[in-house]
Amino acid sequence: MKIKRHSSSTKRFKVTGSGRIKMRRSNVGHNTRIRGKKRMKRLHQYKDIPSGLNDKVKRLLGLK
């Protein structure tokens, strides 16, 4: 039987070529003029997910 992936998780997380899982940072939705350019550049980058969520997210993405 085919396992379905959690559809909202596939939109929120990216799997890199080496298998690491990345997620977007928060605080970039609106009111971005208040924050500095340096901070906004940093916030637009993807970051690794916390190690405690690793197994849970892999299960949601159908990797485990």
Side-chain angles (χ1 to χ4, degrees), residues 24-38:
R24 287 194 61 173
R25 292 179 185 270
S26 57
N27 299 320
V28 282
H30 60 95
N31 295 342
T32 54
R33 289 185 306 198
I34 299 167
R35 302 177 188 103
K37 281 186 181 177
K38 194 187 277 189

Side-chain angles (χ1 to χ4, degrees), residues 6-62:
H6 195 256
S7 60
S8 68
S9 296
T10 57
K11 297 166 193 170
R12 289 187 178 128
F13 300 105
K14 267 178 148 180
V15 181
T16 62
S18 60
R20 289 187 317 184
I21 301 170
K22 299 235 169 204
M23 64 185 258
R24 287 194 61 173
R25 292 179 185 270
S26 57
N27 299 320
V28 282
H30 60 95
N31 295 342
T32 54
R33 289 185 306 198
I34 299 167
R35 302 177 188 103
K37 281 186 181 177
K38 194 187 277 189
R39 183 177 174 192
M40 287 310 298
K41 279 176 87 171
R42 183 177 52 81
L43 287 174
H44 277 293
Q45 294 173 347
Y46 278 79
K47 68 171 184 175
D48 290 333
I49 62 168
S51 57
L53 291 176
N54 215 355
D55 290 337
K56 189 179 241 183
V57 173
K58 278 187 177 179
R59 202 174 309 117
L60 288 171
L61 294 175

